[in-house]
C-alpha cells in the first residue's frame, strides 16, 4: 500500500509549488538539502498529508513584557533559527523570526510532538479511558501479544524502557526510524502495529532506557484506541480549543490515517509558546487541570537514567538536574521550560544536521545567556 494513502479525514497535500521539496517517502526528510529543509519545514502540510487540530474560542493572550536585553542575531544565523520566543510569567520578553518564517506561519515539530502525545495519555487517564500507567499495553493493543511488548506497561512505553530493540540512527537509511514509514503490505493491520510487533526483545521491560520514535507512535495508537478518537481531535478538545491556541495546527498522518504521534505536528511559534505555558500552569484549563493530580511533576522529572550526566528522561520529556526540562526534536526544535524563572523558551530551527554535539552545545550556551538575561 502507498505510504501516504489517505483516509477521508486527512488533508490532501496541495500540488507542489516552486521551491518545495517532494516527499515520496517520509524518511526522505532526513536527507533533504539545506534549501529543502528551510522551505519544507514551514510547509510540511503542503508536502505530506496532515489532519487539522482545530483552534477556536477565546485566544489565550500573550501580552508584551519588558524587552529582553539579548543580542540573538549571531545565534539565529549560525543555528538556522526560524523562530525564537521567550515568555516569562506568560508575557513575551523576546520574539524573533528568520528563514522567511513569520507569526502567521506554522513550523514542524519533529519529536517535540512526543511531549504532547504523553500529555494526552495523562488526559486519557483523567478521563477514565486508560486505567493506569501500570496497565499492560496489550489491553489496548492486543496485536502486540506474544512479542517484545508482552508485559510492557503504559509507564514503560512512556519512559522508553520497554526493552524492545530499535535503531534511531538518523544518518542510516536502513535504520528503524528511517524504514518505519516505508510502504509495505500489512494484511490489513495498522502499519505501526505491523512494524513494531516484529521487533526483538533486547532487555527485560523496565531495565533499560532506549530512545525509540516508534514507541511514541505506539503511545499515540494506544490513546486513539482507548479514547475512540483521533489524536488530532483529542488534542483539539483537551488543549488547542480549551486553552486558547491562536491558530489551527496540523498533524502528519501515516498510511492508515493515524497521526505520527512521535513527530511532525505543525504549529505557530506563539502556539508552541502556549504549550509551554500550559505546562507551567500545571495543565489547568478553565480553572481545573485536564490531567491527574501531580502529572507534570512526574512527567517532567527523571523516570529513567539515560547514561548522560545531568540529564534524564520523564514521560517523553527530557529532564535536567537543574530543574529545567524540555521537549526536543531533531534539526533544532525545542520547548525549554524553566520553572524557577517561570520561563518558556521556544526555538524552531533547520539545523544542517539532525543531531550533533556542537549544535546542542551552542543551544545550551544560548539558553544559559537567556537565563542570565532573565535574572538581570
Amino acid at each position: 500500500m502507498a505510504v501516504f494513502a489517505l483516509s477521508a479525514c486527512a488533508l490532501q497535500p496541495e500540488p507542489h509549488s516552486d521551491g518545495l521539496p517532494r516527499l515520496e517517502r517520509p524518511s526522505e526528510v532526513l536527507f533533504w538539502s539545506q534549501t529543502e529543509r528551510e522551505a519544507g519545514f514551514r510547509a510540511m502540510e503542503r508536502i505530506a498529508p496532515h489532519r487539522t487540530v482545530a483552534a477556536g474560542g477565546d485566544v489565550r493572550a500573550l501580552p508584551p513584557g519588558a524587552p529582553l536585553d539579548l543580542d540573538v542575531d549571531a545565534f539565529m544565523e549560525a543555528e538556522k533559527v526560524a523562530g525564537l520566543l521567550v515568555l516569562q510569567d506568560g508575557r513575551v520578553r523576546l520574539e524573533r523570526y528568520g528563514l522567511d518564517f513569520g507569526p502567521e506561519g506554522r513550523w514542524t515539530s519533529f519529536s517535540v510532538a512526543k511531549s504532547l502525545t504523553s500529555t494526552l495519555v495523562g488526559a486519557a487517564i483523567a478521563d477514565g479511558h486508560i486505567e493506569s500507567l501500570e496497565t499492560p499495553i496489550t489491553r489496548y493493543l492486543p496485536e502486540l501479544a506474544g512479542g517484545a511488548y508482552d508485559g510492557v506497561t503504559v509507564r514503560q512505553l512512556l519512559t522508553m524502557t520497554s526493552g524492545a530493540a530499535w535503531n534511531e540512527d538518523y544518518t542510516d537509511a536502513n535504520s528503524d526510524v528511517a524504514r518505519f514509514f516505508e510502504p509495505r503490505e500489512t494484511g490489513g493491520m495498522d502499519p505501526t502495529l505491523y512494524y513494531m510487533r516484529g521487533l526483538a526483545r533486547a532487555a527485560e521491560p523496565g531495565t533499560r532506557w532506549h530512545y525509540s520514535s516508534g514507541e511514541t507512535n505506539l503511545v499515540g495508537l494506544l490513546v486513539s484506541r482507548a479514547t475512540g478518537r483521533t489524536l488530532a481531535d483529542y488534542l483539539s478538545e483537551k488543549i488547542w480549543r480549551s486553552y486558547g491556541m491562536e491558530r489551527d495546527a496540523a498533524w502528519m498522518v501515516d498510511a492508515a490515517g493515524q497521526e505520527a504521534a512521535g513527530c511532525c505536528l505543525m504549529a505557530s511559534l506563539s502556539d508552541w509558546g502556549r504549550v509551554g505555558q500550559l505546562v507551567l500552569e500545571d495543565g489547568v484549563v478553565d480553572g481545573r487541570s485536564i490531567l491527574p493530580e501531580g502529572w507534570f511533576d512526574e512527567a517532567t522529572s527523571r523516570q529513567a537514567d539515560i547514561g548522560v550526566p545531568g540529564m534524564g528522561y520523564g514521560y517523553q520529556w527530557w529532564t535536567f538536574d537543574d530543574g529545567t526540562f524540555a521537549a526536543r526534536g531533531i534539526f533544532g526544535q525545542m520547548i525549554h521550560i524553566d520553572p524557577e524563572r517561570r520561563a518558556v523558551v521556544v526555538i524552531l530551527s533547520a539545523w544542517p544536521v539532525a543531531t550533533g554535539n556542537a549544535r546542542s552545545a551552542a543551544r545550551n550556551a544560548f539558553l544559559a545567556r537567556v537565563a542570565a538575561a532573565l535574572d538581570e
Side-chain angles (χ1 to χ4, degrees):
M1 85 183 110
V3 70
F4 283 149
L6 295 179
S7 65
C9 53
L11 298 179
Q12 174 67 49
E14 298 176 6
H16 288 285
S17 304
D18 289 346
L20 288 184
R22 296 186 177 276
L23 195 66
E24 301 300 330
R25 299 169 184 262
S27 60
E28 291 173 5
V29 72
L30 297 172
F31 308 103
W32 275 348
S33 69
Q34 185 62 28
T35 299
E36 288 172 326
R37 274 189 289 274
E38 293 179 14
F41 289 2
R42 63 175 181 265
M44 287 296 291
E45 80 277 28
R46 297 166 59 193
I47 298 170
H50 284 62
R51 182 176 284 116
T52 296
V53 179
D58 295 333
V59 175
R60 176 63 60 99
L62 296 176
L68 200 61
D69 185 14
L70 190 66
D71 184 357
V72 301
D73 291 346
F75 171 75
M76 292 186 66
E77 175 62 28
E79 302 307 315
K80 305 300 180 186
V81 174
L84 177 60
L85 179 68
V86 179
L87 303 178
Q88 188 176 39
D89 294 320
R91 294 180 174 273
V92 178
R93 300 292 307 274
L94 186 149
E95 183 175 5
R96 290 286 300 277
Y97 295 91
L99 305 184
D100 294 324
F101 184 61
E104 305 298 321
R106 299 184 293 194
W107 196 264
T108 196
S109 68
F110 293 99
S111 291
V112 168
K114 289 179 168 66
S115 303
L116 271 172
T117 296
S118 77
T119 302
L120 293 182
V121 172
I125 291 173
D127 288 346
H129 299 302
I130 295 174
E131 182 180 21
S132 77
L133 290 176
E134 310 313 324
T135 304
I137 63 172
T138 49
R139 178 173 301 183
Y140 308 99
L141 305 173
E143 297 92 332
L144 296 176
Y149 289 95
D150 238 352
V152 172
T153 65
V154 175
R155 183 189 301 275
Q156 289 163 345
L157 199 63
L158 277 180
T159 57
M160 297 193 183
T161 58
S162 71
W166 178 268
N167 181 348
E168 188 87 8
D169 186 347
Y170 304 112
T171 66
D172 181 1
N174 292 313
S175 66
D176 289 305
V177 74
R179 294 171 49 232
F180 181 61
F181 278 117
E182 294 299 289
R184 56 181 54 85
E185 179 53 54
T186 68
M189 183 180 291
D190 178 273
T192 292
L193 288 173
Y194 184 86
Y195 192 94
M196 301 301 286
R197 72 197 294 267
L199 298 178
R201 175 167 285 181
E204 286 302 304
T207 64
R208 182 196 74 153
W209 178 83
H210 188 69
Y211 192 79
S212 168
S213 288
E215 294 201 342
T216 314
N217 281 28
L218 280 182
V219 173
L221 191 57
L222 185 154
V223 171
S224 290
R225 286 274 185 92
T227 62
R229 310 274 293 279
T230 67
L231 289 184
D233 185 45
Y234 199 48
L235 177 61
S236 178
E237 177 202 333
K238 304 307 296 187
I239 296 176
W240 230 252
R241 285 199 305 268
S242 58
Y243 191 70
M245 299 303 179
E246 187 174 9
R247 295 178 177 83
D248 290 351
W251 209 333
M252 194 179 85
V253 297
D254 66 13
Q258 175 70 28
E259 291 85 350
C263 177
C264 309
L265 178 64
M266 297 197 70
S268 69
L269 178 66
S270 61
D271 283 341
W272 285 125
R274 289 181 177 91
V275 169
Q277 193 63 32
L278 171 70
V279 178
L280 271 183
E281 295 172 8
D282 205 30
V284 173
V285 175
D286 293 332
R288 68 177 187 89
S289 179
I290 63 170
L291 302 164
E293 184 177 354
W295 175 266
F296 276 130
D297 286 342
E298 288 187 20
T300 63
S301 60
R302 183 195 295 248
Q303 301 293 329
D305 185 350
I306 68 172
V308 177
M311 290 182 63
Y313 203 67
Y315 301 159
Q316 310 273 305
W317 292 89
W318 299 92
T319 69
F320 304 92
D321 289 355
D322 65 359
T324 65
F325 53 92
R328 303 197 308 186
I330 57 174
F331 297 107
Q333 322 317 318
M334 172 178 271
I335 303 175
H336 174 83
I337 299 176
D338 186 337
E340 180 182 351
R341 295 178 175 86
R342 309 169 312 285
V344 175
V345 182
V346 182
I347 304 174
L348 305 177
S349 302
W351 283 357
V353 292
T355 62
N357 290 337
R359 298 286 172 182
S360 294
R363 183 172 60 188
N364 289 342
F366 177 76
L367 291 172
R369 290 175 55 212
V370 171
L374 290 172
D375 289 345
E376 290 180 0

